[in-house]
Amino acid sequence: MIETDILIIGAGPTGLFTVFEAGLLRMKCHIIDALPQMGGQLSELYPKKPIFDIPGFPSVLAGDLIDNLHEQIKQFEPGFTLNERADSLNRLQDGSFEVITNKGTVHKAKAVIIAGGLGSFEPKKPPLKNISSFEDNGVNYFVKRPEDYRGKKIVIAGGGDSALDWTIHLAEIASSVSLVHRRNEFRGALDSVEKVKKLKQNGKINLITPAEVIELHGKEKLSAISVERDGAIEIIDTDYLIPLFGLVPKLGPIGDWGLDIEKNAIKVDNSTDFSTNIPGIYAVGDINTYPYKMKLILCGFHEAAIVCQSIYQRLNPNKKFILKYTTVSGVDGFDGSRKEAEKQVVTAI
Ligand code: FAD
């Protein structure tokens, strides 16, 4: 059982920055994310794109922003449960919450902040009838540890950046890599397309286009696949099939937790503290909705700051929340008395 003050569901930019705001107030955080890495949409959908509306950064690559947010919160030592989806939520008798993931990890927290963005990203699965029986037995929708593929035969299916990037990367590691795509053209970066074509010319990979995987074979583990190209069927021996057809966001289990939902988003009270209809549960970032809501990173950051001071007051009813400037207090001095804070502000002025 993992115990923490605040459990954050979603390791996108909002969830990550929430750790910082909570850390200033000496509240410990743990984050759950369904994806194997942090960063939400920024890591998954546009890591190499520049963002122009982060205050103070005329331009910052999405991937760099996530790296910086991670660097900024390291000092507060948040815990992470990655690659697991928060599935169920129960309120316990002492008023705290228990959240259990799809892999059975149990988390207990005094407050829950849902920073789930567009919902948990689920891989788009190819419509192959027995695919679920091979999941984790030869069919993988994510490449978590490239080393697992050393010396193995691999088929990658897809035509976007992920399919191209992993084909290039795994060509160095696997004993054979075949890339199957239903068109002759690819949707990924031109540079990656060029690299893949070069690998094919040098005999380092098999490029099978326009073609589709139509059947999986094997007893308990995957051993081969059937591919259809121009009406002809070819059987390819393989240890792994990695379908990389993108991800679909799904509100998923969060929709069944008794929260007020409007158009796939959680209704919150923006006149106070972004609380949901369940006391002790808050929602920040893209997943919440209220009048004039803007699904922007900077709005998520603002909401995170408000929520954290509200939780601080809830968990410390006898202490008064005092707004302090990090320029004055640094990140260590946030738990002093009003007098001390006022003194600091006066000194600063
Ligand atoms: P997300 O980034 O969506 O992260 C949510 C995380 O929660 C995900 O990782 C998801 O896996 C996880 N999650 C959800 N449900 C569960 C669950 N049940 N269990 C475990 N994990 C769960 N915004 C700007 O401000 N400026 C821009 O220039 C800009 N450009 C964009 C360009 C593109 C192409 C796109 C798609 C978006 C852009 N945005 C931009 C929007 C911005 O990306 C979002 O506002 C931002 O990602 C919201 O952050 P978040 O942390 O709320 O959610």
Side-chain angles (χ1 to χ4, degrees), residues 76-89:
F76 298 119
E77 298 174 352
F80 285 94
T81 302
L82 294 178
N83 207 17
E84 297 189 28
R85 191 187 56 220
D87 261 9
S88 68
L89 175 140

Side-chain angles (χ1 to χ4, degrees), residues 10 12-14 33-34 40-42 46 51 53 86 115-117 119-120 285-286 296-297:
T14 313
D33 203 296
Q41 295 172 52
L42 286 78
Y46 60 105
I51 307 175
D53 56 352
S120 60
D286 275 14
L296 287 175
I297 297 162

Side-chain angles (χ1 to χ4, degrees), residues 18-314:
T18 306
V19 174
F20 182 78
E21 288 296 316
L24 290 178
L25 297 166
R26 296 286 162 271
M27 296 184 291
K28 193 106 189 94
C29 293
H30 189 93
I31 310 192
I32 305 178
D33 203 296
L35 293 174
Q37 78 283 331
M38 62 186 80
Q41 295 172 52
L42 286 78
S43 303
E44 199 53 50
L45 303 179
Y46 60 105
K48 300 282 181 219
K49 284 202 167 142
I51 307 175
F52 300 102
D53 56 352
I54 302 298
F57 287 90
S59 162
V60 57
L61 292 184
D64 290 349
L65 179 64
I66 294 304
D67 288 347
N68 286 345
L69 284 167
H70 187 208
E71 193 57 40
Q72 193 175 20
I73 63 172
K74 269 186 192 160
Q75 57 194 319
F76 298 119
E77 298 174 352
F80 285 94
T81 302
L82 294 178
N83 207 17
E84 297 189 28
R85 191 187 56 220
D87 261 9
S88 68
L89 175 140
N90 306 302
R91 184 188 272 279
L92 303 175
Q93 276 193 336
D94 63 2
S96 63
F97 297 94
E98 180 189 73
V99 173
I100 306 178
T101 67
N102 58 332
K103 297 199 177 150
T105 311
V106 181
H107 305 77
K108 190 180 172 216
K110 295 173 191 157
V112 173
I113 301 179
I114 303 174
L118 305 173
S120 60
F121 287 110
E122 310 277 335
K124 273 189 204 158
K125 301 182 180 184
L128 298 167
K129 69 174 185 318
N130 53 350
I131 194 158
S132 59
S133 59
F134 289 112
E135 285 170 359
D136 293 329
N137 276 318
V139 172
N140 293 338
Y141 301 106
F142 296 104
V143 178
K144 288 175 212 152
R145 291 174 302 271
E147 272 305 308
D148 290 354
Y149 301 94
R150 186 164 291 282
K152 306 285 183 194
K153 291 178 277 203
I154 298 170
V155 176
I156 293 176
D161 281 315
S162 291
L164 295 167
D165 291 348
W166 282 119
T167 299
I168 296 163
H169 191 87
L170 294 175
E172 298 290 315
I173 293 173
S175 67
S176 78
V177 175
S178 303
L179 176 60
V180 179
H181 180 42
R182 66 198 162 100
R183 295 203 180 87
N184 286 325
E185 303 76 36
F186 290 90
R187 280 176 284 110
L190 275 180
D191 175 49
S192 309
V193 176
E194 286 308 314
K195 279 188 187 149
V196 163
K197 285 185 177 160
K198 211 163 247 169
L199 285 169
K200 151 118 177 103
Q201 277 162 15
N202 297 339
K204 298 254 171 148
I205 63 161
N206 304 317
L207 199 50
I208 309 173
T209 64
E212 268 185 88
V213 179
I214 54 161
E215 214 178 332
L216 308 178
H217 310 281
K219 286 209 169 107
E220 277 162 22
K221 220 187 152 304
L222 185 75
S223 58
I225 59 162
S226 294
V227 171
E228 186 178 347
R229 177 164 43 176
D230 294 333
I233 293 173
E234 187 183 344
I235 295 186
I236 303 172
D237 287 343
T238 192
D239 298 307
Y240 291 99
L241 169 67
I242 309 175
L244 296 171
F245 296 140
L247 300 165
V248 268
K250 283 200 178 136
L251 190 55
I254 294 173
D256 304 324
W257 292 354
L259 296 157
D260 269 354
I261 307 283
E262 189 181 270
K263 291 188 190 150
N264 250 354
I266 302 169
K267 276 171 87 172
V268 291
D269 181 1
N270 72 317
S271 67
T272 57
D273 56 2
F274 301 99
S275 47
T276 67
N277 59 312
I278 304 179
I281 304 185
Y282 303 78
V284 292
D286 275 14
I287 201 152
N288 74 13
T289 183
Y290 52 83
Y292 297 108
K293 167 72 186 177
M294 291 170 85
K295 293 193 187 218
L296 287 175
I297 297 162
L298 70 90
C299 299
F301 289 169
H302 159 76
E303 294 161 9
I306 305 274
V307 164
C308 287
Q309 64 82 19
S310 172
I311 294 177
Y312 178 83
Q313 291 183 46
R314 207 173 137 258

